[in-house]
């Protein structure tokens, strides 16, 4: 695949030093590390190796990746590895996609309390689904959940929400049978929304009473219990957005979807159009519009573009992909085996659906021969061997 003409790394390298000087004292260590990682990704600064074709002696240099989870270039490989590990968890049933979104008023204070409120978003949304699913009035079963946190909207504004992938059914509460959802229907979203709202506000108020929340700037007054209660009061009367999409067609569709969502970052390099005196121009989706009008271009000042990208840097050690219910790590293997037994599908019968996850051995772009590593060089070192230029015809074909 050819390299995009513009990357986030290019913007950081060209404008990052000036932006850091202008914002000195207002940028966290985590954000500085992300900028450094992206700027150095796949450059000599991280070292690399030299590979040569066994047949035609074509030689190329490959620089190491930063492997930072916020780097647009590193997430494709990470997603493939993760998907290969998740393949064994898939069941031969329809899957549903459910989205839980925090109201704007909560998102405002979430930015100042990322670890706590993002964690609440994960836990409360999972508790909401497992509670309603276990209710005999609805499904009466234990379900499995894979949750993925996204903190951005299409324009890179702060918009925390959780995407859930849930099998269309679960194991009955007595463990003796598989309970399937109704065709095309998982759980009532209004019921989910109201329980989610009640539980989240309860937990948020408890966190405030324990002095676990921090408030700065325009929200500093919310440290007062009465002010905070008044701030939350309108949220008890509004509808919180919980959205359930149509079910997937099967395991193959689930994997294809997960590969696009699990390791996504605030903006992909493929969405970038230009970076010039006017700022950074990129594609975005306006979900208030319909059809072709939804796809639009936006131009932000370079400083604002960098700021928006960095507000989505997660706290150190924070897990943005989590599993609950039947898929909780401690009991996952036993639960999956039991579910397959109840569905009359043995583990040996489960056919792989992600065989293309392994990208395979690298081949020579000139002759298709096998590439072998002939040299490994350390960070900031200069390799002894030099790369071979591709023939003009090949370069034109791959551009």
């Amino acid at each position: 695949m050819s390299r995009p003409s513009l990357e986030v790394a290019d913007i950081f390298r060209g404008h990052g030093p000036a932006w850091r000087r202008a914002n000195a004292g207002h940028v966290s260590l985590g954000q500085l590390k992300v900028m450094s990682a992206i700027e150095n990704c796949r450059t000599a600064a991280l070292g690399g190796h030299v590979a040569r074709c066994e047949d035609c002696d074509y030689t190329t240099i490959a620089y190491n990746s930063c492997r930072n989870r916020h780097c647009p270039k590193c997430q494709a490989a990470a997603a493939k590895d993760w998907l290969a590990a998740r393949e064994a968890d898939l069941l031969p049933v329809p899957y549903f996609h459910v989205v839980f979104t925090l109201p704007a008023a909560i998102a405002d204070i979430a930015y100042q309390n990322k670890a706590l409120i993002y964690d609440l978003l994960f836990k409360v949304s999972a508790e909401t689904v497992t509670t309603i699913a276990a209710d005999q009035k609805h499904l009466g079963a234990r379900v499995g959940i894979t949750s993925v946190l996204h903190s951005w909207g299409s324009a890179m504004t702060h918009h925390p929400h959780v995407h859930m992938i849930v099998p269309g059914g679960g194991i009955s509460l007595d463990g003796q049978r598989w309970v399937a959802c109704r065709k095309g229907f998982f759980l009532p979203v209004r019921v989910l929304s109201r329980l989610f709202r009640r539980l989240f506000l309860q937990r948020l108020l408890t966190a405030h009473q324990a002095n676990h929340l921090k408030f700065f700037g325009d929200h500093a007054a919310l440290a007062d219990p009465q002010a905070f209660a008044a701030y939350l009061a309108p949220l008890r009367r509004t509808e919180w957005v919980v959205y359930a999409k149509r079910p997937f067609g099967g395991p193959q569709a689930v994997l294809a979807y997960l590969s696009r969502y699990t390791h996504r970052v605030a903006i992909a390099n493929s969405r970038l159009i230009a970076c010039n005196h006017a700022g950074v121009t990129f594609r975005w989706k306006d979900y208030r519009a319909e059809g072709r009008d939804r796809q639009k271009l936006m131009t932000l000042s370079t400083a604002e573009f960098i700021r928006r990208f960095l507000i989505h840097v997660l706290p150190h050690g924070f897990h943005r992909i989590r599993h609950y219910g039947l898929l909780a790590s401690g009991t996952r293997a036993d639960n999956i085996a039991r579910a397959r037994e109840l569905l009359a599908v043995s583990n040996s019968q489960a056919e792989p659906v992600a065989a293309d996850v392994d990208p395979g051995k690298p081949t020579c772009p000139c002759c298709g021969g096998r590439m072998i590593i002939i040299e490994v060089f350390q960070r900031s070192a200069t390799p002894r061997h030099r790369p071979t230029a591709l023939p003009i015809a090949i370069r034109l074909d791959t551009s």
Side-chain angles (χ1 to χ4, degrees):
M1 183 180 293
S2 59
R3 178 186 183 275
S5 58
L6 179 63
E7 298 182 345
V8 172
D10 299 322
I11 299 170
F12 280 7
R13 292 182 195 123
H15 302 272
W19 188 87
R20 287 189 287 268
R21 288 193 298 270
N23 293 275
H26 300 283
V27 188
S28 71
L29 178 60
Q31 291 171 328
L32 291 174
K33 287 182 176 180
V34 168
M35 291 190 77
S36 177
I38 293 176
E39 289 172 20
N40 291 327
C41 187
R42 299 185 193 178
T43 69
L46 298 183
H49 66 266
V50 181
R52 175 173 292 167
C53 177
E54 288 185 315
D55 299 329
C56 71
D57 289 336
Y58 168 76
T59 304
T60 185
I61 297 176
Y63 296 110
N64 291 333
S65 301
C66 68
R67 299 189 178 183
N68 189 285
R69 60 177 169 168
H70 302 92
C71 176
K73 285 188 291 194
C74 289
Q75 295 313 297
K80 288 178 180 178
D81 292 341
W82 186 85
L83 287 173
R86 297 282 74 77
E87 181 182 348
D89 298 342
L90 291 174
L91 297 171
V93 299
Y95 278 73
F96 288 82
H97 175 199
V98 185
V99 183
F100 286 81
T101 302
L102 289 180
I106 302 297
D108 287 344
I109 60 176
Y111 181 69
Q112 299 178 349
N113 299 272
K114 285 184 178 180
L116 190 148
I117 293 185
Y118 289 174
D119 187 63
L120 276 182
L121 174 56
F122 267 121
K123 291 178 178 177
V124 173
S125 59
E127 182 180 346
T128 297
V129 170
T130 54
T131 299
I132 300 302
D135 191 330
Q136 296 289 355
K137 293 186 296 184
H138 298 291
L139 190 63
R142 294 184 297 126
V143 297
I145 302 168
T146 294
S147 295
V148 183
L149 172 71
H150 284 184
S151 61
W152 56 84
S154 187
M156 293 197 299
T157 51
H158 190 231
H159 179 64
H161 56 287
V162 158
H163 293 267
M164 283 185 177
I165 308 299
V166 189
I171 298 176
S172 62
L173 301 184
D174 61 7
Q176 298 305 305
R177 60 192 177 92
W178 177 264
V179 181
C181 296
R182 302 206 313 261
K183 185 177 180 180
F185 179 83
F186 178 51
L187 294 170
V189 292
R190 177 165 291 187
V191 175
L192 291 172
S193 173
R194 292 183 176 177
L195 180 58
F196 175 59
R197 177 182 64 187
R198 178 169 63 82
L199 292 178
F200 197 96
L201 291 175
Q202 284 177 353
R203 307 290 165 77
L204 195 60
L205 192 58
T206 299
H208 188 279
Q209 292 169 346
N211 294 318
H212 291 161
L213 293 172
K214 306 298 180 184
F215 302 99
F216 306 95
D218 294 341
H219 292 95
L222 296 181
D224 177 73
Q226 291 184 334
F228 189 67
Y231 184 80
L232 296 184
L235 298 175
R236 302 182 186 278
R237 299 185 295 272
T238 59
E239 292 293 334
W240 289 32
V241 178
V242 176
Y243 178 61
K245 295 188 177 182
R246 290 180 299 175
F248 298 101
Q252 293 88 344
V254 174
L255 282 180
Y257 181 85
L258 286 174
S259 68
R260 297 194 301 269
Y261 268 78
T262 52
H263 292 71
R264 184 175 287 184
V265 298
I267 189 168
N269 288 327
S270 58
R271 289 173 55 198
L272 300 176
I273 303 298
C275 179
N276 49 38
H277 66 278
V280 179
T281 302
F282 59 94
R283 288 189 294 271
W284 71 293
K285 287 183 181 179
D286 183 355
Y287 288 99
R288 295 169 297 182
E290 297 294 336
R292 293 182 179 180
D293 294 336
R294 177 168 287 187
Q295 296 287 343
K296 297 182 178 180
L297 295 183
M298 177 178 291
T299 299
L300 300 175
S301 70
T302 306
E304 174 62 10
F305 176 87
I306 295 175
R307 185 195 73 83
R308 288 197 190 186
F309 186 93
L310 293 178
I311 64 176
H312 304 293
V313 171
L314 293 172
H316 178 71
F318 189 90
H319 295 283
R320 63 182 296 266
I321 305 174
R322 303 187 185 185
H323 306 277
Y324 298 93
L326 298 180
L327 299 181
S329 58
T331 58
R332 178 191 297 141
D334 291 342
N335 289 333
I336 293 296
R338 180 57 176 162
R340 289 190 178 280
E341 179 183 352
L342 295 173
L343 288 164
V345 178
S346 68
N347 289 322
S348 61
Q349 292 175 319
E351 297 181 359
V353 295
D356 60 342
V357 164
D358 184 359
K361 301 291 184 182
T363 57
C364 176
C366 293
C367 68
R370 187 166 71 105
M371 300 290 290
I372 59 173
I373 296 176
I374 61 173
E375 179 188 354
V376 176
F377 56 95
Q378 301 302 314
R379 291 171 176 261
S380 302
T382 301
R384 297 190 306 274
H385 299 82
R386 308 308 303 164
T388 304
L390 284 172
I392 293 177
I394 295 178
R395 281 188 279 134
L396 289 176
D397 288 344
T398 57
S399 63

